[in-house]
């Protein structure tokens, strides 16, 4: 996916880069963040990229799964959870598959202790060149990040 920098997860001025990537699954290790973190990415409007499309939403990345691992506790955040509201579009589905688009700056749930955050990303868009030039590349990998 095309995140805005090498550190797509942040909390205020603190930025977190993924510690691992397996295809479209990104893994982050973050400290306790009672206010949650933010998932930041590039964004684009599908109708601006392809005028024949009706979708005028500003879309970031498609998230297919969020898993929080804190010690022995493993929580899979339901993608249709009402807590995913700030920076999230409504959940969408295709049969049994559920996903949710961000708007490029989405709030993640609060994190109580040092936690492994796993994000599985689906589709991304062809982001405008001007935004690509502003991004900081991550050598050898797509740009991904989490902000605290």
């Amino acid at each position: 996916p095309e995140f805005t920098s090498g550190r797509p997860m942040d909390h205020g001025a603190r930025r977190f880069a993924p510690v691992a990537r397996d295809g479209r699954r990104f893994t982050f290790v973050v400290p306790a963040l009672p206010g949650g973190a933010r998932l930041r990415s590039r964004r684009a409007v599908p109708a601006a990229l392809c005028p024949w499309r009706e979708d005028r939403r500003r879309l970031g990345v498609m998230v297919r799964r969020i898993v929080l691992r804190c010690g022995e506790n493993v929580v899979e955040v339901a993608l249709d959870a009402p807590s995913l509201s700030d920076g999230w579009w409504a959940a969408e589905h295709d049969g049994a598959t559920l996903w949710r688009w961000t708007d490029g700056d989405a709030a993640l749930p609060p994190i109580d202790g040092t936690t492994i955050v796993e994000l599985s990303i689906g589709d991304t868009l062809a982001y405008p060149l001007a935004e690509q030039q502003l991004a900081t590349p991550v050598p050898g990998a797509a740009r991904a990040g989490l902000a605290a």
Side-chain angles (χ1 to χ4, degrees):
E2 298 293 329
F3 291 104
T4 54
S5 71
R7 294 165 209 73
M9 188 179 290
D10 70 41
H11 179 77
R14 297 174 70 184
R15 307 261 189 268
F16 304 96
V19 296
R21 177 182 176 187
D22 181 11
R24 291 182 170 264
R25 186 179 69 206
F26 294 82
T27 304
F28 301 85
V29 177
V30 296
L33 300 170
R38 302 207 60 94
L39 177 61
R40 300 189 197 272
S41 68
R42 294 181 185 175
R43 54 189 172 219
V45 176
L49 300 171
C50 303
W52 57 90
R53 288 189 169 172
E54 295 293 322
D55 194 344
R56 302 202 182 294
R57 298 176 295 170
R58 184 176 60 195
L59 301 177
V61 294
M62 176 195 287
V63 177
R64 292 196 173 269
R65 190 168 187 227
I66 303 170
V67 178
L68 306 176
R69 299 176 188 277
C70 184
E72 297 295 317
N73 297 326
V74 178
V75 175
E76 183 165 351
V77 179
L79 292 177
D80 57 356
S83 61
L84 296 180
S85 58
D86 181 13
W88 295 90
W89 291 102
E92 300 176 51
H93 64 89
D94 180 12
T97 305
L98 189 67
W99 66 87
R100 198 156 187 173
W101 283 94
T102 72
D103 68 1
D105 184 9
L108 292 168
I111 297 172
D112 295 328
T114 299
T115 300
I116 296 170
V117 179
E118 293 177 4
L119 297 171
S120 294
I121 305 300
D123 288 342
T124 58
L125 301 170
Y127 301 97
L129 182 59
E131 282 192 53
Q132 290 176 359
Q133 291 173 341
L134 295 175
T136 304
V138 175
R143 291 177 272 288
L146 197 62

